[in-house]
């Protein structure tokens, strides 16, 4: 399941991510759209590009390192009443 570290691409297309994750490309696209999977689009509505680390984190059902919640930060939901 892990991605070959020797020839690790910096960005995966939806198709490549789907093959690696063993999912349907639509599933990958939907996950990106729903912000479950950290993907990038050069233009809005364009092709998604996914970093292997983000894909792996998504497969593990964890936030990728780019969006790991920072410590010592008050949850937003609790801030409002102040
Ligand atoms: Zn990420």
């Amino acid at each position: 399941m892990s991605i070959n570290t020797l020839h690790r691409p910096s960005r995966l297309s939806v198709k490549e991510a789907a093959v690696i994750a063993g999912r349907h490309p639509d599933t990958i696209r939907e996950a990106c759209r729903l912000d479950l999977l950290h993907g990038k689009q050069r233009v809005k509505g364009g092709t998604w590009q996914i970093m292997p680390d983000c894909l792996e984190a998504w497969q593990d059902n964890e936030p990728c390192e780019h969006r790991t919640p920072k410590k010592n930060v008050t949850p937003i939901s609790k801030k409002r009443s102040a």
Side-chain angles (χ1 to χ4, degrees):
M1 275 270 249
S2 69
I3 297 162
N4 188 333
T5 48
L6 290 176
H7 299 284
R8 197 183 179 96
S10 56
R11 290 281 198 287
L12 302 164
S13 67
V14 168
K15 260 189 192 175
E16 289 165 336
V19 170
I20 290 166
R23 303 292 192 97
H24 196 278
D26 283 349
T27 308
I28 302 292
R29 241 175 260 124
E30 188 70 4
C32 289
R33 250 202 312 267
L34 297 174
D35 208 27
L36 300 171
L37 171 55
H38 181 202
K40 285 191 175 179
Q41 278 177 314
R42 274 191 203 165
V43 291
K44 212 178 176 187
T47 316
W48 287 101
Q49 295 190 310
I50 301 128
M51 279 182 274
D53 285 347
C54 306
L55 183 66
E56 283 184 357
W58 176 68
Q59 286 182 274
D60 291 341
N61 212 9
E62 288 171 5
C64 65
E65 61 182 25
H66 313 102
R67 49 171 53 165
T68 301
K70 291 196 173 76
K71 287 167 191 169
N72 304 324
V73 172
T74 313
I76 295 162
S77 54
K78 304 256 175 181
K79 265 186 182 170
R80 282 195 185 162
S81 56

